[in-house]
């Protein structure tokens, strides 16, 4: 992510990105026959989303706490002061992704959102800062044709919408949507409005440590303090995706006085 909440799976850009909409077209294809295959998986910065953590920790049969400790580095997101994590790169000559090999990605089916988007990125505007129409309500896409990437010399043509569906990133965006909105809302706060350290810890747990958040909900007084309907309780008990979405709504309620959570009398 950058100042505009952007993410892209490639290396450092050498030319200015081009703003795209859902029907914008581009030519790109990546496969083992491309000379630069796996080059974009080295010397990169991959910011991880909440759903990325769920997919990756389950793929590796780790708890979210274990995955965070082994494979991520914490950061404070610029202009928000919110805690986020990026993928921890290897300490080799190319600062490679820990999951890349010469013949490809060993966790490809569960690769992060940013990797799925490449060679596109997605940007989210500051909350309510513009009336300009955007693809997903208050965001847009960008395209960077990096000279070192030979995938742009292939023949396959896509629209942005086709690429997002083909890469499964539309599903990731849908699951992460309320989390993204939280980040955008916080960035729109005045600079002097800061969250407490406790609030930051809560944001981090809900966003990334889904196993810890599940324990917090079901093993603390949480359910005795909030009036949560039984169907919702059952859903979040059995689905990590539903638990994530529930957590995002709860954060929105306590940070921004949103609706949906009633404290029991």
């Amino acid at each position: 992510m950058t100042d505009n909440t952007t993410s892209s799976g490639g290396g450092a850009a050498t030319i200015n990105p081009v703003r795209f909409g859902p029907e914008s077209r581009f030519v790109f294809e990546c496969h083992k026959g491309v000379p630069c295959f796996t080059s974009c998986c080295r010397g990169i910065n991959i910011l991880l989303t909440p759903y990325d953590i769920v997919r990756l920790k389950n793929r590796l049969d780790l708890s979210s706490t274990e995955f965070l400790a082994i494979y991520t580095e914490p950061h404070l997101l610029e202009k928000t002061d919110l805690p986020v994590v990026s993928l921890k790169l290897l300490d080799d000559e190319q600062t490679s992704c820990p999951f890349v090999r010469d013949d490809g990605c060993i966790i490809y089916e569960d690769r992060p959102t940013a990797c799925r988007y490449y060679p596109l990125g997605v940007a989210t505007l500051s909350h309510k800062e513009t009336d300009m129409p955007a693809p997903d309500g208050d965001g847009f896409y960008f395209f960077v044709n990096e000279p070192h990437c030979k995938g742009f010399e292939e023949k396959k043509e896509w629209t942005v919408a086709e690429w997002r569906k083909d890469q499964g990133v539309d599903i990731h965006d849908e699951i992460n949507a309320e989390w993204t909105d939280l980040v955008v809302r916080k960035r729109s706060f005045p600079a002097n409005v800061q969250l407490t350290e406790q609030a930051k810890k809560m944001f981090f747990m809900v966003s990334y440590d889904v196993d810890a958040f599940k324990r917090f909900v079901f093993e603390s007084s949480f359910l005795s303090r909030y009036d949560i309907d039984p169907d919702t309780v059952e859903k979040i008990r059995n689905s990590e995706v539903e638990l994530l979405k529930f957590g995002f709504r709860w954060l929105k309620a306590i940070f921004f006085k949103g609706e949906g959570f009633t404290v029991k009398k």
Side-chain angles (χ1 to χ4, degrees), residues 132-143:
M132 182 169 48
D136 286 320
D138 54 6
F140 61 89
Y141 309 102
F142 61 88
F143 172 78

Side-chain angles (χ1 to χ4, degrees), residues 19 26 54 73 82 96 111 128 132 143 167 247 259:
R19 182 165 174 158
F26 64 98
V54 169
E73 294 181 322
L82 291 173
S96 305
R111 64 198 184 280
K128 305 294 185 184
M132 182 169 48
F143 172 78
Q167 298 296 303
E259 298 179 355

Side-chain angles (χ1 to χ4, degrees), residues 1-8 47 77 121-124 140 142 187:
M1 281 189 187
T2 67
D3 292 354
N4 289 326
T5 317
T6 62
S7 59
S8 177
L47 190 71
L77 189 61
V122 61
T124 305
F140 61 89
F142 61 88
R187 192 176 57 228

